[in-house]
């Protein structure tokens, strides 16, 4: 077992027994579950909308090269710069070079999982640049020195009392502040940072190749301030975020908001097509878009797993997953947790180190059921297991055990030989790996053939 797998099992075991954690998660996911059906009422036929969105993403991912080049050409024509980053290191170095060039001491950042993926905050900190999270949930997590717990609601595991305590400890506020008071404290602190920051960094929810733009979705207005206030705006975005056209936003905006938070539409939806133009009064002087691969082309090169690139990061599969609800977002120790994280992380970070995640599933299919772009998540988890074995990422003991199981299952003679007690002993005691985290198998006292004969006689 790899160290990452051992650590995942250890952390999951502790979290699954943490009843206070479970209470907070159930409370927050319960609130989410109560509003999503209301949001869905806006669709005349939600299934047709989801299928249409899936088809659009199929088009985008199948023609990714063409769309990305079109995006680069069009946004460059409006004065933006496009940089292509193969991996974390290249993306960090691009951002580091821009910050040096701009003599940047403070940088503001809006919520973006891709910047988590490239560990941007710690990289900037090492280089003497203050990086300030401006999304309230991310700000709370940054104050607490924790990574986001969930891809949409980063501080989902904290109660309002936890946040009040944290603010009192870190910012010296009086204890027991209400959520409104806490928000005002954060707002005041963050406004000062916008004014000081030389550079603003955002992600992008969608890349719009036909008009050469990116689209941002948010509820707090902080991404607008981050992209418009500092003189330089850097966008870090995964290459899979393409949708074919700006006209497809009528599908994706409501789907993202309803499946993400239950809203009909998110509060602020912004389309940015380059830096401030000569006839415009607002906006940054410079806009740089970093298109990040970081393992996404590994997914692209696999015709089955490629479907995972359709993800619009709504977080619905996390909220629906019985495993996520028990072990929480941090046990995974990956940027992307829950079902989608389990599917993509082995491709982004290596099959050998992260294949264990694909096994942390009951394969109940609830993730597939709730995904707004109908990604077959539970089947992709099975596909990952298959890939791991194909690539030789399984131990000899595991291969021998499954070979023995297959031989026995395909042989009527072997299935009929011995009694249930002996079979139980072989499976539960000889192949001990099975029962480490599962209850023991209990074979039927009578074989299928014995029961068949009895039935026929009767
Ligand atoms: S896989 Fe589907 S449900 Fe999960 S985050 Fe992505 S779009 Fe949402």
């Amino acid at each position: 077992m790899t160290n990452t797998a051992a650590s995942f099992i250890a952390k999951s075991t502790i979290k699954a027994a943490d009843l206070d954690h479970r209470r907070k998660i159930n409370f927050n996911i319960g609130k989410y579950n109560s509003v999503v059906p209301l949001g869905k009422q806006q669709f005349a036929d939600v299934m047709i909308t989801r299928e249409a969105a899936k088809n659009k993403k199929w088009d985008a991912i199948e023609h990714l090269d063409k769309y990305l080049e079109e995006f680069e050409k069009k946004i460059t024509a409006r004065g933006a710069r496009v940089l292509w980053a193969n991996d974390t290191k290249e993306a960090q170095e691009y951002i580091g070079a821009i910050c040096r060039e701009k003599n940047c001491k403070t940088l503001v950042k809006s919520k973006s999982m891709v910047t988590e993926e490239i560990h941007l905050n710690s990289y900037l900190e090492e280089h003497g640049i203050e990086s300030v999270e401006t999304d309230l949930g991310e700000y709370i997590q940054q104050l607490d020195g924790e990574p986001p717990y969930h891809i949409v609601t980063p501080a989902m595991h904290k109660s309002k009392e936890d946040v009040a305590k944290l603010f009192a400890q870190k910012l010296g506020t009086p204890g027991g502040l209400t959520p409104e008071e806490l928000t005002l404290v954060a707002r005041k602190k963050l406004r000062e940072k916008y004014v000081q920051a030389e550079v603003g960094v955002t992600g992008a929810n969608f890349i719009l190749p036909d008009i050469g733009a990116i689209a941002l979705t948010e509820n707090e207005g902080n991404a607008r301030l981050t992209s418009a206030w500092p003189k330089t705006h850097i966008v870090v975005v995964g290459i899979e975020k393409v949708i074919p056209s700006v006209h497809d936003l009528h599908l994706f905006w409501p789907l993202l908001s309803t499946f993400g938070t239950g809203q009909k539409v998110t509060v602020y939806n912004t389309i940015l097509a380059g830096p401030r133009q000569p006839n415009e009064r607002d906006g940054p002087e410079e806009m740089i878009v970093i298109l990040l691969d970081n393992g996404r082309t590994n997914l692209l090169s696999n015709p089955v797993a490629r479907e995972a690139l359709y993800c619009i990061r709504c977080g619905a599969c996390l909220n629906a997953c019985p495993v996520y609800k028990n072990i929480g977002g941090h046990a995974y120790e990956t940027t992307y947790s829950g079902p989608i994280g389990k599917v993509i992380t082995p491709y982004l970070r290596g099959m050998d180190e992260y294949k264990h995640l694909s096994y942390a599933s009951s394969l109940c299919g609830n993730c597939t059921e709730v995904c707004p772009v109908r990604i077959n998540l539970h089947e992709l988890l099975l596909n990952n297991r298959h890939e791991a074995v194909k690539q030789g990422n399984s131990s000899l003991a595991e291969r021998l055990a499954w070979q023995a199981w297959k031989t026995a299952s395909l042989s009527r003679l072997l299935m009929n030989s011995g009694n249930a007690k002996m079979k139980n002993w072989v499976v539960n005691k000889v192949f001990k790996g099975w029962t480490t985290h599962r209850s023991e198998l209990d074979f039927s006292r009578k074989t299928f053939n014995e029961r068949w004969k009895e039935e026929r006689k009767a």
Side-chain angles (χ1 to χ4, degrees):
M1 188 188 293
T2 61
N3 288 342
T4 35
S7 173
F8 172 71
I9 291 172
K11 290 205 158 98
S12 307
T13 308
I14 294 169
K15 225 21 147 189
D18 182 343
L19 296 183
D20 190 42
H21 168 260
R22 194 177 302 185
R23 180 185 59 77
K24 288 173 196 165
I25 292 307
N26 283 344
F27 175 75
N28 285 321
I29 293 184
K31 280 204 296 190
Y32 167 87
N33 287 340
S34 65
V35 289
V36 170
L38 304 177
K40 281 187 187 166
Q41 286 172 5
Q42 68 179 311
F43 302 105
D45 188 327
V46 71
M47 193 55 97
I48 290 178
T49 314
R50 291 165 69 193
E51 286 292 347
K54 180 171 190 170
N55 289 342
K56 290 289 176 190
K57 280 302 292 189
W58 173 86
D59 176 7
I61 298 302
E62 291 299 313
H63 307 106
L64 197 56
D65 50 346
K66 176 183 97 104
Y67 283 129
L68 287 172
E69 283 177 5
E70 187 184 352
F71 166 74
E72 180 181 32
K73 195 167 152 220
K74 294 211 167 129
I75 200 163
T76 306
R78 287 180 56 87
R81 226 175 348 134
V82 175
L83 302 171
W84 300 73
N86 278 314
D87 52 24
T88 293
K89 190 163 175 282
E90 270 187 29
Q92 287 177 340
E93 284 172 2
Y94 280 142
I95 297 168
I98 297 164
C99 288
R100 275 195 301 280
E101 189 187 310
K102 307 293 168 197
N103 200 17
C104 173
K105 300 277 178 294
T106 304
L107 177 151
V108 279
K109 204 172 141 287
S110 72
K111 181 175 161 14
S112 134
M113 290 311 290
V114 83
T115 55
E116 289 296 328
E117 188 185 324
I118 62 167
H119 313 294
L120 186 58
N121 285 348
S122 50
Y123 171 83
L124 291 169
E125 207 177 293
E126 279 163 26
H127 289 76
I129 299 165
E130 184 191 24
S131 175
V132 185
E133 294 288 351
T134 61
D135 169 89
L136 184 56
E138 289 283 358
Y139 181 68
I140 292 166
Q141 289 305 92
Q142 191 177 33
L143 274 185
D144 209 6
E146 274 191 337
Y149 176 91
H150 185 282
I151 61 177
V152 173
T153 34
M156 184 196 246
H157 60 309
K158 289 187 166 78
S159 65
K160 56 184 193 304
E161 290 78 20
D162 292 336
V163 179
K165 210 163 128 196
L166 178 72
F167 272 44
Q169 274 168 7
K170 304 280 173 171
L171 302 174
T173 55
L177 293 186
T178 63
E180 291 75 17
E181 288 165 334
L182 293 166
T183 307
L184 285 177
V185 171
R187 181 188 159 112
K188 190 163 178 291
K189 294 257 173 223
L190 292 173
R191 290 279 157 146
E192 287 163 17
K193 296 295 175 189
Y194 287 118
V195 180
Q196 291 163 8
E198 295 86 5
V199 174
V201 175
T202 70
N205 295 89
F206 302 104
I207 295 173
L208 311 172
D210 58 333
I211 59 164
I214 59 127
L216 280 171
T217 289
E218 46 146 353
N219 271 319
E220 297 170 18
N222 63 304
R224 282 192 174 177
L225 288 173
T226 303
S227 60
W229 214 328
K231 286 185 177 168
T232 304
H233 175 205
I234 302 174
V235 181
V236 191
V237 56
I239 52 174
E240 83 285 9
K241 289 293 182 80
V242 169
I243 56 172
S245 164
V246 64
H247 300 293
D248 299 324
L249 286 173
H250 79 286
L251 274 177
F252 288 97
W253 271 344
L255 279 177
L256 178 58
S257 47
T258 291
F259 285 78
T261 56
Q263 291 163 284
K264 279 190 177 162
V265 71
T266 316
V267 179
Y268 299 101
N269 288 290
T270 314
I271 296 174
L272 297 167
R276 186 171 67 218
Q277 302 296 298
N279 58 345
E280 291 173 349
R281 288 173 53 192
D282 300 313
E285 288 170 7
E286 214 178 331
M287 179 180 181
I288 300 124
V289 183
I290 299 176
L291 295 173
L292 182 72
D293 177 349
N294 217 22
R296 285 158 176 79
T297 43
N298 298 336
L299 276 161
L300 192 64
S301 64
N302 183 314
V304 179
R306 180 181 297 175
E307 190 177 324
L309 293 173
Y310 301 175
C311 175
I312 58 172
R313 306 276 188 263
C314 72
C317 58
L318 281 66
N319 301 337
C321 177
V323 175
Y324 183 92
K325 281 191 266 193
N326 275 287
I327 66 170
H330 287 150
Y332 296 81
E333 297 183 286
T334 55
T335 307
Y336 305 101
S337 55
I340 186 63
K342 290 187 264 195
V343 171
I344 65 175
T345 307
Y347 291 87
L348 302 185
R349 294 214 201 158
M351 190 59 85
D352 193 28
E353 279 290 297
Y354 289 95
K355 70 173 193 300
H356 61 276
L357 296 178
S358 312
Y359 293 84
S361 169
S362 62
L363 298 179
C364 66
N366 212 17
C367 45
T368 304
E369 195 60 35
V370 299
C371 176
V373 282
R374 310 258 305 132
I375 300 173
N376 284 321
L377 287 155
H378 68 296
E379 289 184 15
L380 293 183
L381 286 171
L382 273 179
N383 186 57
N384 277 11
R385 298 178 191 183
H386 179 66
E387 277 297 321
V389 174
K390 222 169 76 183
Q391 292 178 23
N393 286 310
S394 55
S395 64
L396 181 66
E398 192 185 336
R399 286 200 299 277
L400 288 176
W402 284 116
Q403 191 55 49
W405 179 263
K406 185 180 167 190
T407 308
S409 310
L410 290 174
S411 162
R412 182 48 49 200
L413 188 69
L414 285 171
M415 291 299 274
N416 288 349
S417 55
N419 57 24
K421 206 171 157 197
M422 190 195 87
K423 288 179 203 162
N424 285 346
W425 182 82
V426 171
V427 171
N428 298 321
K429 304 294 176 221
V430 179
F431 298 113
K432 278 193 251 147
W434 180 264
T435 48
T436 313
H437 296 285
R438 299 175 185 88
S439 53
E440 294 195 346
L441 282 188
D442 189 11
F443 278 80
S444 159
R445 299 284 162 264
K446 290 178 185 166
T447 66
F448 175 80
N449 284 146
E450 285 165 348
R451 290 187 62 186
W452 181 255
K453 273 185 201 153
E454 281 177 14
E455 291 288 323
R456 299 262 296 188
K457 256 191 213 160

